[in-house]
Amino acid sequence: MSARFLRTAGFVLLCLTGLQLIRAEDYLSYVAAVYEHRVLLNPEPRVLLERRSALEHIDRNLRVFEEQAAAAARQGAQIIVFPEDAIHGFNYTRASIAGYLETVPDPNEVTWCPCAEPDRFPDTEVLQRLSCMAHENRIFVVANMASRQSCDRSTDLHCPVDGRYQFNTNVVFSDNGTIVARYHKQNLYFEAAFDAPPKSEYVTFTTPFAGRFGVFTCFDILFREPAVTLVKDMGIRQIVYPTAWMNQLPLLAAVQFQRAFSHAAGVTLLAANIQASEYGMTGSGIFTPWDSIVHHDTEGNSGKLLVLRVPVLDPAFIGKSLDNARPTLVPFSVYSTNNLSSEEPGKAHVWPTSYKQSDVEYCHKDPECKENADSPLTFTSIMMYDNFTLVPLQGNKGNLIICSGSLCCHLLFQRSHTDEFYALGVFNGLHVVHGTYYLEVCALVRCTGLHHSSCGGETEYAHTLVDFRLDGTFSTLHVFPGILGSGMNLEIPDHSGWESGGRFYISRRGMTTGLVTAMLYGRLYEKDDV
Ligand SMILES: *[C@@H]1O[C@H](CO)[C@@H](O)[C@H](O)[C@H]1NC(C)=O
Ligand SMILES: *[C@@H]1O[C@H](CO)[C@@H](O)[C@H](O)[C@H]1NC(C)=O
Ligand SMILES: *[C@@H]1O[C@H](CO)[C@@H](O)[C@H](O)[C@H]1NC(C)=O
Ligand SMILES: *[C@@H]1O[C@H](CO)[C@@H](O)[C@H](O)[C@H]1NC(C)=O
């Protein structure tokens, strides 16, 4: 929808809460590219390869990178992001990845353009190819590779027994080929080949066209360090994000969470995922806090280049001249240009006449509300390995609440059909499968069938149009709101933010596709290790 419009219109329109349109050409802007790469995998990742054979494998992926960097540059792109694991693949052991490793010098200590000085450091063929790609196309290149770094066990307590760190590493090259940033992934996702760095790294780089960018990788997006610190403490508003993400609906499809992060954090996210549909990996996009273009193709077997002109968001780069005209982005808050934040959120809605303001406040004021939550209709179902408590939607409009501990989720809805089964669910607890992290989640989901146990199942489709307002009594400030329409149609709320009383809410009316998921995905980072 918006993506199609952007292409035909030829310039970017930022749609701010549907009330005010701002043209990006009125602002400083730049052209960004991400490439979803159909990775050519090593079929036997657990078998050690000689460096020569590893380079032959790598070459097949890098040739595609070279074509795509050139194609992006021809379309005016100033920066291109390639996916995680896209050069070497995945499922290596610590030993079997050896042939793929290169030492990446710290750009804070060494200024090096590998394309210009290829012989300065040994065994750096990948760095040289990437550097020349950046230099020849005059484009910033962000790529992910496997690196090694020698360490000394007598002085470094964290140094692994084999005397070297092996890192999942993002490297950034400036448009003349110089290495300008190096980031070691903090939150590994069962990657036996790699070590996490002993301390999390807060890596940024500066471009002449858009100021500062922050860097992190894949699973990092679900954790405080370094993502939230970059955004909240360091003021980063533009992120490059290589990923190799396995989709999991109804809450964690790749583009669904990329959209939610960019919107919640108030950042531009340049997200490049692998295309490996046999492993459920697809979903890349260029996301501003207001708009996006995405690629999600679960049946595809080819790569996809996305290019988009986006506004510069680095406040330091923009300077003061444009400040007044620009939206103020406050991460994990509500932001807009039209001062909706100063309105009372409940009143900002024109609800169908059958809803009254008192409905919105129902349960917030009523002390008996929690008892209503134990209605006989309540059931449990496993959603993405978590035991959610849910209550079904009945009729074509209603007002529901469901609680778990201190978290109460409240939904006002009106819908076009009643033949699809929907439920409002809550989960407040530690997620322990494929990663350990503490969640506070309110989710309105389209169940895949008519049975309770089908709530939490995976579907990309729905035909029921739903107008809704969803809020929750979160104890965390870090809530990622997401709205997913049928056919992976990504939406952002009409309104969202904190209300008095510490409730976070989103609302959306008038969607043109059926509702698959509306979520408030809260992360309680501080309880992860309890
Ligand atoms: C990686 O390993 C897992 C677990 O053994 C397996 O299920 C998956 O198919 C493997 N993927 C690749 C690309 O080798
Ligand atoms: C190469 O790019 C870097 C980073 O943008 C810059 O600091 C450096 O001056 C450039 N070098 C040359 C030779 O242009
Ligand atoms: C927006 O609200 C803030 C605080 O309520 C106020 O200071 C500011 O003047 C308002 N801006 C506009 C354009 O109304
Ligand atoms: C989910 O929680 C409910 C209520 O605590 C419990 O009765 C049920 O056995 C749990 N389901 C699973 C699969 O653990």
Side-chain angles (χ1 to χ4, degrees):
M1 30 127 257
S2 54
R4 208 173 310 136
F5 176 66
L6 295 177
R7 267 183 235 114
T8 52
F11 54 76
V12 181
L13 282 177
L14 303 178
C15 178
L16 296 173
T17 66
L19 296 176
Q20 193 166 345
L21 294 172
I22 293 179
R23 294 190 314 184
E25 64 183 11
D26 294 341
Y27 297 111
L28 296 173
S29 64
Y30 63 101
V31 181
V34 302
Y35 182 63
E36 178 158 314
H37 178 51
R38 170 76 185 159
V39 60
L40 301 162
L41 293 168
N42 173 343
E44 292 188 314
R46 292 182 172 79
V47 177
L48 175 68
L49 283 189
E50 296 298 319
R51 173 75 176 160
R52 232 179 93 119
S53 311
L55 286 174
E56 279 166 18
H57 169 214
I58 281 171
D59 173 65
R60 297 167 58 218
N61 285 308
L62 284 182
R63 282 182 193 205
V64 182
F65 280 35
E66 281 158 355
E67 285 165 18
Q68 297 301 324
R74 281 195 299 275
Q75 294 180 52
Q78 291 154 290
I79 183 167
I80 183 166
V81 182
F82 290 104
E84 183 189 26
D85 298 339
I87 294 174
H88 54 275
F90 38 81
N91 269 5
Y92 296 95
T93 67
R94 187 175 181 84
S96 72
I97 203 169
Y100 291 86
L101 303 173
E102 298 192 2
T103 300
V104 184
D106 182 353
N108 296 312
E109 289 169 8
V110 177
T111 301
W112 180 38
C113 175
C115 189
E117 289 181 89
D119 299 327
R120 183 158 164 198
F121 299 99
D123 297 321
T124 52
E125 288 86 346
V126 174
L127 290 170
Q128 291 164 34
R129 291 274 288 274
L130 293 168
S131 168
C132 292
M133 207 181 291
H135 175 80
E136 282 159 20
N137 296 294
R138 308 306 294 177
I139 190 170
F140 274 68
V141 169
V142 181
N144 174 275
M145 59 189 282
S147 81
R148 57 175 291 163
Q149 193 173 306
S150 301
C151 53
D152 182 350
R153 301 227 335 134
S154 64
T155 54
D156 179 354
L157 290 173
H158 302 284
C159 182
V161 287
D162 52 8
R164 63 165 185 269
Y165 290 104
Q166 297 187 175
F167 292 125
N168 175 329
T169 306
N170 295 337
V171 186
V172 183
F173 300 83
S174 87
D175 58 3
N176 60 34
T178 304
I179 299 176
V180 291
R182 178 189 77 174
Y183 169 72
H184 299 135
K185 184 182 184 183
Q186 185 64 42
N187 300 283
L188 296 173
Y189 187 83
F190 305 97
E191 296 165 66
F194 295 123
D195 305 302
K199 280 194 293 188
S200 67
E201 300 175 357
Y202 305 101
V203 173
T204 66
F205 62 95
T206 304
T207 63
F209 52 83
R212 289 183 308 164
F213 287 78
V215 188
F216 57 80
T217 310
C218 200
F219 204 34
D220 285 335
I221 204 168
L222 288 180
F223 296 86
R224 182 196 288 273
E225 307 305 347
V228 175
T229 296
L230 283 169
V231 171
K232 281 178 83 173
D233 301 343
M234 297 171 64
I236 295 300
R237 295 288 174 272
Q238 306 171 132
I239 304 281
V240 293
Y241 177 62
T243 188
W245 187 280
M246 272 176 275
N247 287 292
Q248 192 165 29
L249 284 167
L251 307 179
L252 289 180
V255 292
Q256 182 186 23
F257 204 77
Q258 291 160 14
R259 172 65 290 171
F261 184 91
S262 157
H263 182 67
V267 300
T268 293
L269 186 71
L270 309 181
N273 198 1
I274 281 184
Q275 166 62 247
S277 34
E278 59 277 41
Y279 299 106
M281 292 172 171
T282 178
S284 306
I286 298 175
F287 302 84
T288 76
W290 312 277
D291 218 329
S292 59
I293 57 168
V294 302
H295 177 72
H296 170 91
D297 182 2
T298 51
E299 270 132 48
N301 59 6
S302 58
K304 177 71 182 179
L305 180 67
L306 300 174
V307 180
L308 184 66
R309 179 171 287 281
V310 292
V312 173
L313 294 186
D314 181 1
F317 189 79
I318 295 162
K320 291 196 175 123
S321 57
L322 288 164
D323 266 2
N324 293 338
R326 296 191 60 83
T328 306
L329 298 168
V330 181
F332 302 103
S333 173
V334 63
Y335 47 82
S336 68
T337 51
N338 49 30
N339 261 11
L340 281 171
S341 50
S342 63
E343 292 180 40
E344 277 183 56
K347 289 185 182 142
H349 299 274
V350 184
W351 282 101
T353 47
S354 55
Y355 292 122
K356 299 185 201 74
Q357 181 62 21
S358 58
D359 286 332
V360 177
E361 285 168 10
Y362 168 74
C363 283
H364 298 151
K365 293 200 168 146
D366 183 352
E368 287 175 18
C369 202
K370 278 204 178 186
E371 289 167 30
N372 297 344
D374 298 325
S375 105
L377 295 173
T378 299
F379 62 97
T380 62
S381 183
I382 302 298
M383 191 186 313
M384 301 179 43
Y385 306 102
D386 297 321
N387 193 351
F388 273 69
T389 306
L390 302 105
V391 59
L393 274 58
Q394 294 185 307
N396 52 23
K397 61 192 173 203
N399 187 354
L400 297 171
I401 187 154
I402 190 86
C403 300
S404 172
S406 60
L407 176 61
C408 286
C409 306
H410 173 220
L411 174 74
L412 268 177
F413 74 92
Q414 171 165 288
R415 59 175 166 167
S416 63
H417 297 77
T418 54
D419 59 326
E420 289 178 323
F421 182 32
Y422 283 79
L424 173 66
V426 63
F427 179 73
N428 180 4
L430 191 64
H431 173 95
V432 293
V433 179
H434 302 158
T436 303
Y437 41 94
Y438 201 98
L439 296 175
E440 286 184 341
V441 178
C442 295
L444 167 60
V445 292
R446 197 221 128 183
C447 308
T448 57
L450 296 176
H451 290 283
H452 288 166
S453 62
S454 76
C455 298
E458 299 204 48
T459 177
E460 293 185 9
Y461 301 100
H463 64 249
T464 307
L465 304 178
V466 187
D467 288 351
F468 65 92
R469 185 186 193 285
L470 174 64
D471 68 66
T473 55
F474 292 89
S475 65
T476 176
L477 292 173
H478 302 107
V479 179
F480 298 90
I483 303 172
L484 184 63
S486 192
M488 296 303 285
N489 182 24
L490 299 172
E491 301 260 346
I492 57 175
D494 292 333
H495 303 282
S496 72
W498 293 96
E499 311 176 88
S500 56
R503 293 186 303 271
F504 189 87
Y505 80 98
I506 55 173
S507 65
R508 183 76 177 94
R509 304 181 66 220
M511 279 171 64
T512 54
T513 53
L515 183 71
V516 174
T517 305
M519 70 173 183
L520 295 172
Y521 193 92
R523 276 286 286 114
L524 216 58
Y525 303 114
E526 46 279 24
K527 283 181 88 169
D528 286 358
D529 298 321
V530 173

